[in-house]
Amino acid sequence: MLLGVIVISILVVLGVVYFVPRKIWYVIGMTLIYQIKYHYIGFISQLDDIINARHNKTDLPLVPNKIAIVTGGSKGIGAEVVKKLLQCDMEVIIACRTTTAGEKLILEIRKSGITSGRAKVYKLDNCSLESVREFAKKIKADYDKIHILINNAGVMFIPYRETEDGFEEQWAVNYLSHFLLVSLLLPLLKAGGHPGDCSRIINVTSCAHYIADIDFASISNSSKNTFFTQAAYGQSKLAQTIFTITLQKLLTDKTLNVLVYSVHPGLVKTDLFKDTLLGRNKWLMIAWKTPDQGAISIIYAALNKDIERKGGIYISNCKEAAPPPLALEEQIQKQLFELSLRQIRLNNFFQHL
């Protein structure tokens, strides 16, 4: 009888395997693989945050003559970055999709007792390249220099959606819109930088870049039929890190006083996780950083003097860390840069200088 049960069980399993389409098995397998990858890198990152917690600190120097832009600055880590920059007595431009959210943040910061600095809100929707162009146009009309650009806006693990420009949303918001924004604002960043006191670009990336790959075919021909949101998110963050290294080389070649850094803020409890298992079970994030703690490494990259002239590095917990090996491959750097130029329809990244 036991033998009969075993035989029937085997036949049932074989039947399921045979009749379930291969595509479904592929989706199940890839989903499982990415779950394992993200749990692994999450564990490593949390361990790093715990071990290096004593390093995750930075000064807030008074720099009243400096001007900073923070994309996605109305909530989460971005809001804490804005708060700390205002404590440095800077002028801070909050670039966000919903301007009322930015205005509300300013009121909350002032009510908290922080009265230093100047804060302004400008509309920027990173889903739209036209919005990026309009934002840059307004900034150029109102300012003749910028000292710090923090590319913080981001989305994570969202369902497949295409932007109005035809790009997968995580790719557009996390990476491509910021690629365009840097190109457009380079004249102001150039004007803000001086020898020994360079202007700075901060790309907020993620430890997810360690488990990511760059699939140029999928970037060029995004399709929901081959879409895995975890892969798309990691790819967009890896692209930020690659862009950081590539751009620093180009800026150095042109002897511009502009530095670029990529920063992993750590595992931070924010709304980015609201649609995930973690977001629905917040107790799982009990040992994670607060948004305030996550903002510290970003401020370090923006203002710390010890890393002056050390552009292109990757920072985690206010320390230089090793970037993913893929980000160091020159052919990958070149291919990504050229593809990005085609996607934003620019012939020359420096054509606005």
Side-chain angles (χ1 to χ4, degrees):
M1 184 174 178
L2 179 60
L3 180 60
V5 171
I6 294 174
V7 170
I8 291 172
S9 299
I10 293 173
L11 290 174
V12 169
V13 171
L14 290 175
V16 170
V17 172
Y18 181 79
F19 287 107
V20 172
R22 288 185 179 180
K23 180 180 177 181
I24 293 187
W25 283 119
Y26 175 74
V27 170
I28 292 172
M30 291 300 292
T31 300
L32 180 60
I33 288 170
Y34 279 110
Q35 287 291 333
I36 293 171
K37 283 184 175 182
Y38 272 96
H39 279 88
Y40 166 75
I41 199 61
F43 172 76
I44 296 299
S45 180
Q46 186 169 357
L47 194 62
D48 181 70
D49 288 347
I50 293 170
I51 292 172
N52 290 300
R54 68 186 185 280
H55 298 294
N56 194 52
K57 57 186 178 181
T58 191
D59 296 328
L60 298 177
L62 295 179
V63 281
N65 296 321
K66 290 201 172 184
I67 302 163
I69 296 174
V70 183
T71 71
S74 64
K75 60 182 180 179
I77 297 173
E80 295 299 328
V81 169
V82 168
K83 183 187 296 185
K84 291 181 186 301
L85 292 176
L86 287 174
Q87 288 177 278
C88 296
D89 202 22
M90 298 180 64
E91 181 162 340
V92 184
I93 297 165
I94 301 171
C96 56
R97 183 166 53 185
T98 307
T99 54
T100 52
E103 299 291 355
K104 181 181 177 182
L105 172 65
I106 294 172
L107 289 175
E108 291 173 351
I109 290 174
R110 297 314 186 195
K111 286 180 181 178
S112 74
I114 297 172
T115 58
S116 54
R118 290 85 55 208
K120 295 182 180 179
V121 181
Y122 283 71
K123 182 176 178 60
L124 172 62
D125 183 355
N126 285 78
C127 279
S128 165
L129 296 184
E130 183 57 33
S131 178
V132 174
R133 295 184 181 99
E134 283 299 312
F135 170 79
K137 183 178 179 181
K138 290 177 182 176
I139 294 297
K140 286 178 176 178
D142 294 345
Y143 295 89
D144 59 5
K145 65 182 67 174
I146 294 292
H147 303 91
I148 299 168
L149 171 60
I150 299 176
N151 293 321
N152 165 76
V155 290
M156 183 177 72
F157 296 169
I158 59 175
Y160 182 83
R161 290 196 295 262
E162 286 188 8
T163 66
E164 63 185 41
D165 303 290
F167 302 113
E168 190 275 319
E169 190 170 329
Q170 290 177 104
W171 180 255
V173 173
N174 298 350
Y175 169 65
L176 196 62
S177 60
H178 289 127
F179 182 93
L180 174 59
L181 183 61
V182 171
S183 176
L184 294 171
L185 293 183
L186 264 180
L188 302 192
L189 289 160
K190 176 185 176 182
H194 305 282
D197 188 18
C198 295
S199 56
R200 300 189 183 188
I201 301 164
I202 317 300
N203 291 321
V204 181
T205 185
S206 164
C207 62
H209 63 189
Y210 284 119
I211 58 170
D213 196 3
I214 292 288
D215 184 348
F216 290 104
S218 71
I219 296 169
S220 301
N221 302 287
S222 58
S223 168
K224 63 182 178 182
N225 295 324
T226 56
F227 178 73
F228 289 94
T229 188
Q230 298 96 333
Y233 174 74
Q235 180 170 252
S236 69
K237 290 301 181 178
L238 176 57
Q240 284 183 303
T241 306
I242 296 171
F243 174 48
T244 299
I245 296 169
T246 307
L247 180 59
Q248 188 60 67
K249 291 178 182 177
L250 296 172
L251 293 170
T252 301
D253 288 345
K254 290 186 174 293
T255 62
L256 297 178
N257 296 306
V258 183
L259 299 170
V260 196
Y261 304 95
S262 58
V263 178
H264 169 48
L267 292 184
V268 184
K269 290 174 278 190
T270 70
D271 285 345
L272 269 180
F273 293 90
K274 64 181 179 181
D275 295 323
T276 69
L277 176 65
L278 292 165
R280 293 187 289 271
N281 297 272
K282 288 186 169 46
W283 61 272
L284 293 170
M285 299 188 286
I286 192 169
W288 288 20
K289 288 181 178 179
T290 63
D292 175 76
Q293 292 169 325
I296 291 173
S297 281
I298 298 172
I299 297 296
Y300 173 87
L303 295 171
N304 188 274
K305 284 296 182 182
D306 292 340
I307 56 173
E308 184 76 21
R309 290 297 175 190
K310 291 188 71 177
I313 64 173
Y314 166 61
I315 295 168
S316 176
N317 286 310
C318 299
K319 292 176 61 182
E320 181 178 353
L326 199 62
L328 300 174
E329 294 187 16
E330 292 187 2
Q331 180 56 38
I332 295 292
Q333 295 170 6
K334 182 174 183 290
Q335 193 171 350
L336 176 63
F337 199 82
E338 290 176 352
L339 172 62
S340 304
L341 283 176
R342 291 196 299 271
Q343 288 186 327
I344 63 171
R345 298 180 182 179
L346 278 185
N347 295 320
N348 181 353
F349 189 81
F350 296 95
Q351 69 186 54
H352 301 287
L353 281 178

